[in-house]
Structures are given as structure tokens and as C-alpha cells.
């Protein structure tokens, strides 16, 4: 049965350990409870915040003036598939990394490079979770959701999800409550081709080669730990929301502007990371821009700081407020804008605050 409470401190439910109280808090352990809690709040005209693992959230110090529904419905079901493809339907409240670990041990390929990412399954389509050359848009075949506008359960296929880099139809849109996600995985002991150069180097293979699922998972976890990107109570650098800024994707005009600013600042021969996008634009590295704008790892502002292991993570080692975190984020964003003319955009979802 769903558990209701009032004035629950959200800091205890976010990986940043930040955020004030929720007026109402519902622990929904089944799909029926989840839908009922959202319907009830909608009927009462109350704002709703759907909460998974709280690993991609920046919540206001003032808290949330409505109902927070914590998604806890669990279950993993193998359904049909063609050839060596297996369809796996996973309820939104399953924790993501244990699911990945299970896929690896069951010989199911497609999510092994997404090892170590915190949070729950229901959030993976929201920002098209990705890392080390994989993202969930490659394996998601459908998402079942409660549509708050239609007041009905609907199924969105991959096209309807409109996945792009760290984005989908679900991000910045509170219309859908994800109930379960179906992934198409390949039944094999071998990983998908290793696409990410740093991971390939760590594995001692060339990009495009395959390794065992376990080797891929172990190498990803090792790389992530080295960057404070695996949740670890003993590592204050992991008290973050992961990458705080997305990698900017630049038009040719913006790219020319960045080339000019890089040459002015770092000399005519200076190079910067650039990755072509299918639509002709160019992705660059937010971490590189932040570093070259003069923000070193460990840069602190009051009680918050840039991770000592990774330039892209803003951390609360303890005792900070959301206002402190936003002040640091604004300082970094303004520094990059002044140095390179590029506007960084936050990756985590802001609740009751704006950058
Ligand atoms: C140390 C660390 C490392 C990270 N590394 C990565 C990484 O490599 N790649 C990456 O992509 N992300 C990364 N993240 C970000 C984060 O883990 C992912 O975005 C994750 O999917 C968020 O899941 P969650 O359950 O914690 O979502 P929450 O933070 O609880 O919610 C995030 C958003 O999704 C919405 N939401 C959650 N569940 C549902 C649902 N069932 N239905 C509708 N909306 C929902 C929320 O309302 C909110 O808008 C990292 C975070 C941390 C702390």
C-alpha cells in the first residue's frame, strides 16, 4: 500500500543531498498506486514531482509545494524477441545499475557501457541516459506511460520518444509518468562494439572491437570510479548530480566563433575537442571549456566545489544549500561565456529554481 507523509525533506532523496521539504510525499510501490497518486494530485490541482533515485535533480531550498510521488514499482519480465534479440520489460521503480549487472550476467548485450549510472529505470528515457558510447535510445523499443493530459495509459514507440543527445519528449515535459520501459537486447556474451576511445584504450582494443560483457562493465566501472561518477558514501566527489552541464552542440557560425576565441586565448595552434553530429553541427566538450576557462578540479565557492576528479561535476561535500550550488554553477557558466562565448546548459532537472 502507498505510504503518505507530509513535510518530507527532499535532501534525503537526492544524490546532491540538497532540497527542502515536500508538502506531501507518496511512496508508490505498485503501478496502480503510482497512477492513483498522480491522478489524485491532478484532481486537486496540486503540482506533482515524479521522483526516481534523485540523481538528476536540483531541488529548491524552499522545497516542493505539492505532491512528490516516489516511483517504487518493481519487476523485470522477458518477453518475445526475434533471432538473438530478447525484449525485456522493466518497471520504472527498478534500480538501473542492478538491472545492468543482471543483463551482463545473463548474457544480454546493449546496456553494458551504461554500468554504474545511478537512478531508476523510469528515468532512463527522460534524458536518454548515455555514457561511454552507448545511450538508451539504441535499445529502448517502447515506453509505457500514464498520460496526465489524456488521463490514460499510453505506449510510445522509439520514434514517439524523440530521443536526441540527453533529451527526449519526456524532458522538460511533465505530461508523462513512465510506468515501464522495454529494451531490446542481444543474447550474447560479447559487448556491443566499443565506441568510446577512452574505454577502448582502457580495454586494450581498437574502437569498434568487442570484448566480453563483463570486461566492458568492469572497465566502465573502473573509469567511472576514477572520476567520482559511481555513488559511493565514502567519496564526497560522488555527491553530485553527475555531469552538471551538457556538451554544447554548435552551429557552424558558433563553431567559427569558438575557433576564434580559442585562438585568441590559447594561441593559433590550440585545438579543442570536436565531434561531428549527424545534422552537420559539432559537439564540443563542456569539461574542456570549463577547464580552459580557468576552473580547475576542486575549485570551491563556499561549501560547494567542482569535483576534485571531474571538471563537469558540481558537488556538495556537505553543509551546502541549493543556493550555494547555483551560485557556483552561475560562476562557471559566466566564466565559460566570457572566455569562449559559449552558453553552457544544465543537464540536471531544476525543481523550483532556475540557473
Ligand atoms: C554520480 C552520478 C553519475 C551520473 N552519470 C550519468 C551518466 O553517465 N549518464 C547520464 O545520462 N546520466 C548520469 N547521471 C544522471 C542520472 O543518474 C540519470 O539522469 C538518471 O537516469 C536519473 O535517474 P533518477 O531515477 O535518479 O531520476 P531523478 O533524478 O529522480 O529524476 C530526474 C528527472 O526524471 C523525472 N522522472 C524520474 N522518474 C520518472 C518516471 N518514472 N516518469 C516520469 N518522469 C520521471 C523526474 O521528474 C526528473 O524530472 C549521473 C548522476 C550521478 C549522481
Amino acid at each position: 500500500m502507498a505510504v503518505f507523509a507530509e513535510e518530507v525533506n527532499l535532501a534525503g532523496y537526492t544524490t546532491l543531498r540538497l532540497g527542502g521539504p515536500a508538502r506531501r510525499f507518496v511512496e508508490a510501490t505498485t503501478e496502480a498506486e503510482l497512477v492513483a497518486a498522480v491522478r489524485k494530485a491532478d484532481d486537486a490541482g496540486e503540482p506533482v514531482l515524479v521522483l526516481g533515485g534523485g540523481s538528476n535533480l536540483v531541488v529548491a531550498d524552499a522545497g516542493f509545494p505539492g505532491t512528490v510521488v516516489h516511483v517504487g514499482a518493481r519487476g523485470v519480465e522477458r518477453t518475445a524477441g526475434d533471432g538473438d534479440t530478447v525484449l525485456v520489460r522493466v518497471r520504472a521503480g527498478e534500480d538501473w545499475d542492478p538491472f545492468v549487472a543482471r543483463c551482463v550476467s545473463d548474457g544480454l548485450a546493449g546496456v553494458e557501457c551504461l554500468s554504474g549510472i545511478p537512478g531508476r529505470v523510469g528515468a532512463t528515457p527522460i534524458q536518454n541516459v548515455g555514457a561511454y558510447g552507448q545511450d538508451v535510445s539504441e535499445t529502448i523499443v517502447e515506453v509505457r506511460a500514464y498520460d496526465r493530459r489524456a488521463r490514460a495509459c499510453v505506449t510510445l514507440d522509439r520514434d514517439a520518444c524523440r530521443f536526441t543527445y540527453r533529451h527526449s519528449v519526456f524532458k522538460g515535459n511533465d505530461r508523462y509518468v513512465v510506468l515501464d520501459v522495454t529494451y531490446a537486447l542481444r543474447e550474447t556474451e560479447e559487448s556491443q562494439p566499443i565506441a568510446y576511445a577512452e574505454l577502448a584504450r582502457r580495454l586494450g582494443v581498437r574502437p569498434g572491437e568487442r570484448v566480453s560483457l563483463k570486461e566492458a562493465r568492469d572497465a566502465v566501472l573502473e573509469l567511472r570510479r576514477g572520476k567520482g561518477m559511481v555513488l559511493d558514501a565514502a567519496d564526497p566527489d560522488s555527491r553530485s548530480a553527475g555531469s552538471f552541464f551538457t556538451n554544447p552542440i554548435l552551429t557552424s557560425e558558433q563553431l567559427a566563433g569558438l575557433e576564434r576565441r580559442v585562438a585568441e586565448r590559447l594561441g593559433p595552434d590550440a585545438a579543442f575537442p570536436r565531434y561531428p553530429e549527424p545534422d552537420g553541427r559539432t559537439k564540443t566538450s563542456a569539461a574542456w571549456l570549463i577547464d580552459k576557462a580557468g576552473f580547475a578540479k576542486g575549485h570551491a565557492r563556499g561549501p560547494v566545489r567542482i569535483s576534485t576528479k571531474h571538471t563537469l561535476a558540481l558537488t556538495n561535500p556537505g553543509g551546502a544549500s541549493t543556493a550555494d550550488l547555483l551560485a557556483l554553477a552561475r560562476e562557471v557558466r559566466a566564466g565559460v561565456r566570457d572566455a569562449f562565448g559559449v552558453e553552457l546548459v544544465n543537464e540536471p532537472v531544476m525543481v523550483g529554481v532556475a540557473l
Side-chain angles (χ1 to χ4, degrees):
M1 196 156 106
V3 177
F4 298 85
E6 291 188 356
E7 299 302 320
V8 172
N9 202 353
L10 292 174
Y13 289 88
T14 64
T15 52
L16 274 163
R17 297 281 175 258
L18 295 175
R23 185 184 293 157
R24 262 177 278 284
F25 189 95
V26 180
E27 197 74 63
T29 54
T30 65
E31 181 178 311
E33 288 175 359
L34 174 57
V35 172
V38 173
R39 271 179 189 251
K40 190 173 165 195
D42 283 348
D43 288 345
E46 281 232 344
V48 173
L49 171 64
V50 181
L51 173 70
S55 62
N56 212 26
L57 282 180
V58 177
V59 180
D61 293 315
F64 187 71
T67 300
V68 172
V69 186
H70 197 199
V71 181
R74 289 171 177 268
V76 179
E77 188 192 336
R78 267 170 97 132
T79 64
D82 291 335
D84 63 358
T85 300
V86 174
L87 298 183
V88 186
R89 200 169 90 155
V90 193
R91 287 205 194 272
E94 282 288 336
D95 287 319
W96 173 252
D97 191 53
F99 166 65
V100 174
R102 185 167 159 185
C103 291
V104 167
S105 61
D106 288 355
L108 296 176
V111 289
E112 58 282 357
C113 294
L114 304 177
S115 292
I117 298 179
R120 298 190 171 174
V121 163
T124 58
I126 309 294
Q127 71 157 6
N128 182 18
V129 158
Y132 293 101
Q134 265 177 4
D135 65 43
V136 291
S137 75
E138 294 159 29
T139 42
I140 289 180
V141 285
E142 64 180 39
V143 173
R144 218 165 52 80
Y146 174 67
D147 179 345
R148 294 170 66 196
R149 201 182 293 167
R151 296 176 64 81
C153 292
V154 294
T155 299
L156 291 92
D157 65 14
R158 185 183 292 157
D159 287 347
C161 293
R162 285 196 254 132
F163 291 121
T164 53
Y165 166 66
R166 294 303 162 271
H167 215 277
S168 73
V169 72
F170 307 106
K171 193 157 180 184
N173 170 7
D174 59 7
R175 175 172 174 183
Y176 298 105
V177 179
V178 174
L179 302 174
D180 63 52
V181 183
T182 302
Y183 304 88
L185 303 171
R186 278 183 52 244
E187 199 159 25
T188 165
E189 291 298 330
E190 279 200 321
S191 71
Q192 294 293 84
I194 300 297
Y196 200 79
E198 184 189 19
L199 179 59
R201 274 197 303 278
R202 176 62 60 112
L203 286 160
V205 298
R206 281 192 298 275
E209 290 183 1
R210 299 174 194 262
V211 295
S212 76
L213 292 175
K214 183 168 181 334
E215 282 170 316
R217 176 173 169 79
D218 290 349
V220 166
L221 287 175
E222 201 184 312
L223 283 171
R224 294 187 70 95
R225 277 196 200 98
K227 297 177 185 175
M229 283 291 180
V230 175
L231 288 186
D232 176 354
D235 181 0
D237 279 326
S238 74
R239 277 187 164 213
S240 75
S243 300
F244 198 89
F245 298 104
T246 53
N247 288 322
I249 300 182
L250 308 173
T251 61
S252 50
E253 203 179 317
Q254 291 167 327
L255 181 65
L258 178 58
E259 280 166 350
R260 201 178 57 248
R261 300 289 283 268
V262 168
E264 281 165 14
R265 197 176 166 92
L266 303 170
D269 298 329
F272 58 89
R274 45 171 91 199
Y275 312 98
E277 287 289 295
D279 63 4
R281 293 183 299 163
T282 302
K283 191 193 280 176
T284 188
S285 159
W288 188 92
L289 293 170
I290 294 169
D291 183 56
K292 298 297 180 210
F295 297 100
K297 291 180 183 129
H299 170 91
R301 185 187 172 107
V304 286
R305 68 175 189 217
I306 294 177
S307 161
T308 65
K309 303 189 186 77
H310 189 36
T311 324
L312 214 41
L314 306 189
T315 66
N316 166 25
S321 65
T322 299
D324 295 325
L325 181 85
L326 292 176
L328 174 61
R330 288 184 190 122
E331 182 192 350
V332 171
R333 184 179 60 176
V336 169
R337 187 195 300 128
D338 290 349
F340 297 113
V342 174
E343 189 72 14
L344 292 181
V345 174
N346 54 287
E347 184 181 301
V349 174
M350 301 280 159
V351 177
V353 286
L355 196 58

